[in-house]
Amino acid sequence: MPAINGTNTTPTRPLRPGVWAPIPTFFLPNSQDLDIPTLKKHVIHIAHANIGILLCGSMGEAHHLSPEERILVITSAREALDSAGLHSIPIIAGT
């Protein structure tokens, strides 16, 4: 089997066919601070609708975020899915 993401193992959350939605990065009103609670609610809502999660990829905001903010968005989405019992739902994260 070819290497997957730099490993020689089977992915734990393989990508599935279907619809994948670009998830906007939410910001607090009148601020440039991330709105993580809203992001988490939205990610869970989208996953429950059986739609794939695509973060920091195609909405144009990723290059305006610091590397630390991108990491926070991605890890927060993963935490939200896991806390909702959606451990097998993969995330596609842009750069």
Side-chain angles (χ1 to χ4, degrees):
M1 172 180 216
I4 299 170
N5 291 333
T7 67
N8 290 317
T9 62
T10 303
T12 57
R13 296 179 185 102
L15 300 180
R16 61 182 196 266
V19 176
W20 290 77
I23 305 300
T25 301
F26 295 93
F27 296 91
L28 295 171
N30 303 313
S31 170
Q32 293 185 17
D33 295 329
L34 295 171
D35 185 351
I36 297 301
T38 299
L39 172 75
K40 287 181 171 186
K41 287 181 206 172
H42 189 65
V43 165
I44 291 169
H45 176 75
I46 294 297
H48 279 301
N50 203 30
I51 297 172
I53 308 295
L54 171 61
L55 298 170
C56 299
S58 64
M59 299 294 284
E61 75 279 20
H63 65 280
H64 293 289
L65 299 175
S66 69
E68 294 79 17
E69 288 172 321
R70 287 185 206 157
I71 291 168
L72 180 59
V73 166
I74 295 163
T75 58
S76 295
R78 178 79 267 151
E79 288 170 3
L81 292 170
D82 290 347
S83 72
L86 301 169
H87 305 283
S88 65
I89 303 294
I91 293 173
I92 295 177
T95 55

